[in-house]
Protein backbone atom coordinates (compact mmCIF):
# COMPACT_ATOMS: atom_id res chain seq x y z
CA UNK A 1 0.00 0.00 0.00
CA UNK A 2 1.20 3.48 -0.80
CA UNK A 3 2.00 5.81 2.07
CA UNK A 4 -0.87 8.04 3.13
CA UNK A 5 -0.69 11.55 1.76
CA UNK A 6 -0.11 14.38 4.17
CA UNK A 7 -3.25 16.00 5.55
CA UNK A 8 -2.49 19.10 3.46
CA UNK A 9 -3.18 17.14 0.24
CA UNK A 10 -6.80 16.52 1.31
CA UNK A 11 -8.98 19.47 0.43
CA UNK A 12 -12.35 20.42 1.90
CA UNK A 13 -14.21 18.30 -0.68
CA UNK A 14 -12.13 15.22 0.19
CA UNK A 15 -12.78 15.73 3.90
CA UNK A 16 -16.54 16.11 3.37
CA UNK A 17 -16.60 12.97 1.21
CA UNK A 18 -14.65 11.03 3.87
CA UNK A 19 -17.03 12.19 6.61
CA UNK A 20 -19.99 10.83 4.62
CA UNK A 21 -18.27 7.55 3.73
CA UNK A 22 -17.30 6.92 7.36
CA UNK A 23 -20.97 7.02 8.33
CA UNK A 24 -22.15 4.87 5.41
CA UNK A 25 -19.81 3.77 2.64
CA UNK A 26 -22.78 2.55 0.59
CA UNK A 27 -24.01 6.12 0.06
CA UNK A 28 -24.47 6.57 -3.70
CA UNK A 29 -21.91 8.86 -5.28
CA UNK A 30 -24.74 10.98 -6.69
CA UNK A 31 -25.96 11.67 -3.12
CA UNK A 32 -22.44 12.44 -1.95
CA UNK A 33 -22.01 14.81 -4.88
CA UNK A 34 -25.23 16.63 -4.00
CA UNK A 35 -24.12 16.94 -0.38
CA UNK A 36 -20.69 18.36 -1.24
CA UNK A 37 -21.58 20.24 -4.46
CA UNK A 38 -19.63 18.04 -6.87
CA UNK A 39 -20.69 15.85 -9.78
CA UNK A 40 -20.90 12.08 -9.23
CA UNK A 41 -17.92 11.49 -11.59
CA UNK A 42 -15.83 14.01 -9.60
CA UNK A 43 -16.75 12.19 -6.38
CA UNK A 44 -15.83 8.88 -7.99
CA UNK A 45 -12.41 10.20 -9.06
CA UNK A 46 -11.72 11.56 -5.59
CA UNK A 47 -12.73 8.30 -3.89
CA UNK A 48 -10.54 6.34 -6.32
CA UNK A 49 -7.56 8.63 -5.66
CA UNK A 50 -8.00 8.46 -1.89
CA UNK A 51 -8.24 4.65 -2.09
CA UNK A 52 -5.11 4.40 -4.27
CA UNK A 53 -3.24 6.74 -1.91
CA UNK A 54 -4.19 4.71 1.16
CA UNK A 55 -6.42 7.33 2.75
CA UNK A 56 -9.36 4.95 2.38
CA UNK A 57 -7.92 1.70 3.70
CA UNK A 58 -10.90 -0.63 3.25
CA UNK A 59 -14.58 -0.87 2.47
CA UNK A 60 -15.94 -3.30 5.04
CA UNK A 61 -19.06 -4.22 6.98
CA UNK A 62 -18.86 -3.53 10.72
CA UNK A 63 -20.20 -6.72 12.32
CA UNK A 64 -21.76 -6.93 15.78
CA UNK A 65 -19.63 -9.52 17.62
CA UNK A 66 -22.56 -10.63 19.80
CA UNK A 67 -24.68 -11.36 16.72
CA UNK A 68 -22.02 -13.77 15.42
CA UNK A 69 -21.33 -15.54 18.71
CA UNK A 70 -18.31 -13.52 19.89
CA UNK A 71 -19.83 -11.73 22.92
CA UNK A 72 -16.72 -11.28 25.06
CA UNK A 73 -14.40 -8.34 24.41
CA UNK A 74 -11.06 -8.42 26.21
CA UNK A 75 -8.25 -5.87 26.39
CA UNK A 76 -4.80 -7.24 27.08
CA UNK A 77 -1.58 -5.48 28.01
CA UNK A 78 1.43 -7.54 26.97
CA UNK A 79 4.94 -6.92 28.26
CA UNK A 80 7.80 -8.64 26.47
CA UNK A 81 11.24 -9.59 27.81
CA UNK A 82 13.38 -8.62 24.83
CA UNK A 83 12.62 -5.57 22.72
CA UNK A 84 15.04 -6.28 19.92
CA UNK A 85 13.69 -5.33 16.51
CA UNK A 86 13.54 -9.00 15.54
CA UNK A 87 11.57 -10.00 18.66
CA UNK A 88 9.13 -7.09 18.31
CA UNK A 89 8.52 -7.87 14.63
CA UNK A 90 7.96 -11.53 15.52
CA UNK A 91 5.37 -10.55 18.15
CA UNK A 92 3.65 -8.21 15.68
CA UNK A 93 3.40 -11.00 13.10
CA UNK A 94 2.07 -13.50 15.64
CA UNK A 95 -0.55 -11.11 17.01
CA UNK A 96 -1.59 -9.98 13.52
CA UNK A 97 -2.12 -13.61 12.47
CA UNK A 98 -4.51 -14.45 15.34
CA UNK A 99 -8.11 -14.03 14.12
CA UNK A 100 -9.35 -13.42 17.67
CA UNK A 101 -7.25 -10.24 17.88
CA UNK A 102 -9.25 -7.38 16.37
CA UNK A 103 -6.67 -4.72 17.07
CA UNK A 104 -3.02 -4.73 18.07
CA UNK A 105 -1.02 -1.67 19.07
CA UNK A 106 2.72 -1.48 19.77
CA UNK A 107 2.82 1.16 22.52
CA UNK A 108 5.04 3.13 24.85
CA UNK A 109 4.89 2.81 28.62
CA UNK A 110 4.92 -0.25 30.87
CA UNK A 111 3.22 -2.51 28.37
CA UNK A 112 4.68 -3.15 24.94
CA UNK A 113 1.44 -4.15 23.22
CA UNK A 114 -2.24 -3.49 23.77
CA UNK A 115 -4.57 -6.04 22.19
CA UNK A 116 -8.32 -5.97 21.64
CA UNK A 117 -9.67 -9.49 21.49
CA UNK A 118 -13.12 -10.98 20.88
CA UNK A 119 -13.97 -14.54 21.87
CA UNK A 120 -17.11 -16.64 22.35
CA UNK A 121 -16.17 -17.92 25.83
CA UNK A 122 -13.60 -17.46 28.57
CA UNK A 123 -12.48 -21.01 27.78
CA UNK A 124 -11.58 -19.84 24.29
CA UNK A 125 -9.66 -16.93 25.77
CA UNK A 126 -7.78 -19.28 28.10
CA UNK A 127 -6.78 -21.43 25.10
CA UNK A 128 -5.61 -18.28 23.29
CA UNK A 129 -3.48 -17.21 26.28
CA UNK A 130 -1.82 -20.61 26.34
CA UNK A 131 -1.01 -20.34 22.64
CA UNK A 132 0.06 -16.68 22.45
CA UNK A 133 1.39 -15.81 25.89
CA UNK A 134 2.31 -18.88 27.94
CA UNK A 135 3.71 -20.57 24.83
CA UNK A 136 5.86 -17.56 23.95
CA UNK A 137 9.23 -17.37 25.72
CA UNK A 138 9.44 -13.63 25.07
CA UNK A 139 6.23 -12.71 26.93
CA UNK A 140 7.19 -11.49 30.38
CA UNK A 141 3.64 -10.88 31.60
CA UNK A 142 0.19 -9.94 30.43
CA UNK A 143 -2.80 -8.29 32.08
CA UNK A 144 -6.37 -8.96 31.08
CA UNK A 145 -9.31 -6.53 31.24
CA UNK A 146 -12.72 -7.97 30.36
CA UNK A 147 -15.21 -5.43 29.01
CA UNK A 148 -18.45 -5.36 30.97
CA UNK A 149 -20.27 -3.17 28.44
CA UNK A 150 -19.50 -1.80 24.97
CA UNK A 151 -20.30 1.85 25.68
CA UNK A 152 -18.80 3.27 22.49
CA UNK A 153 -17.23 1.32 19.67
CA UNK A 154 -16.22 2.89 16.41
CA UNK A 155 -13.59 3.33 13.82
CA UNK A 156 -14.52 6.84 12.66
CA UNK A 157 -11.62 9.25 12.47
CA UNK A 158 -12.47 12.87 13.33
CA UNK A 159 -12.25 14.88 10.12
CA UNK A 160 -11.92 18.64 10.31
Amino acid sequence: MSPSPSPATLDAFDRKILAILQKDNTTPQREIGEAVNLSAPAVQRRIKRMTENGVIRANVAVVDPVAVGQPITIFVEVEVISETAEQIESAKREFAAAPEIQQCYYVTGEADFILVIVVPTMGDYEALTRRLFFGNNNVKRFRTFVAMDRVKVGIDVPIS
Side-chain angles (χ1 to χ4, degrees), residues 2-30:
S2 303
S4 296
S6 67
T9 63
L10 298 175
D11 65 17
F13 290 116
D14 293 334
R15 292 175 184 286
K16 289 176 185 174
I17 291 167
L18 289 171
I20 292 167
L21 291 176
Q22 282 193 121
K23 299 297 179 206
D24 181 1
N25 78 340
T26 65
T27 304
Q29 292 173 358
R30 176 188 47 73

Side-chain angles (χ1 to χ4, degrees), residues 103-160:
Q103 298 175 49
C104 172
Y105 299 93
Y106 178 47
V107 298
T108 62
E110 251 182 73
D112 297 298
F113 290 94
I114 301 289
L115 310 177
V116 179
I117 297 172
V118 292
V119 289
T121 68
M122 288 306 292
D124 290 300
Y125 177 62
E126 181 182 3
L128 182 69
T129 64
R130 291 181 189 280
R131 190 174 84 236
L132 290 180
F133 309 137
F134 293 117
N136 185 328
N137 292 333
N138 196 37
V139 172
K140 182 176 182 179
R141 71 175 58 95
F142 66 96
R143 287 180 31 177
T144 299
F145 304 87
V146 179
M148 294 173 45
D149 189 14
R150 293 169 58 95
V151 178
K152 179 181 179 182
V153 178
I155 56 172
D156 290 6
V157 176
I159 299 176
S160 52

Side-chain angles (χ1 to χ4, degrees), residues 34-149:
E34 289 170 4
V36 302
N37 294 318
L38 288 174
S39 68
V43 169
Q44 181 181 27
R45 284 190 300 274
R46 287 171 176 270
I47 291 171
K48 182 175 188 256
R49 177 180 45 79
M50 289 188 288
T51 301
E52 289 170 351
N53 290 340
V55 175
I56 298 173
R57 305 238 351 231
N59 288 294
V60 298
V62 179
V63 177
D64 179 351
V66 174
V68 295
Q70 304 286 327
I72 301 172
T73 300
I74 300 171
F75 301 86
V76 181
E77 292 179 349
V78 180
E79 189 178 340
V80 297
I81 296 168
S82 172
E83 290 191 65
T84 65
E86 182 181 313
Q87 292 281 12
I88 292 298
E89 290 307 313
S90 175
K92 287 179 181 180
R93 283 191 303 276
E94 188 170 10
F95 295 151
E100 301 90 344
I101 298 177
Q102 280 190 321
Q103 298 175 49
C104 172
Y105 299 93
Y106 178 47
V107 298
T108 62
E110 251 182 73
D112 297 298
F113 290 94
I114 301 289
L115 310 177
V116 179
I117 297 172
V118 292
V119 289
T121 68
M122 288 306 292
D124 290 300
Y125 177 62
E126 181 182 3
L128 182 69
T129 64
R130 291 181 189 280
R131 190 174 84 236
L132 290 180
F133 309 137
F134 293 117
N136 185 328
N137 292 333
N138 196 37
V139 172
K140 182 176 182 179
R141 71 175 58 95
F142 66 96
R143 287 180 31 177
T144 299
F145 304 87
V146 179
M148 294 173 45
D149 189 14

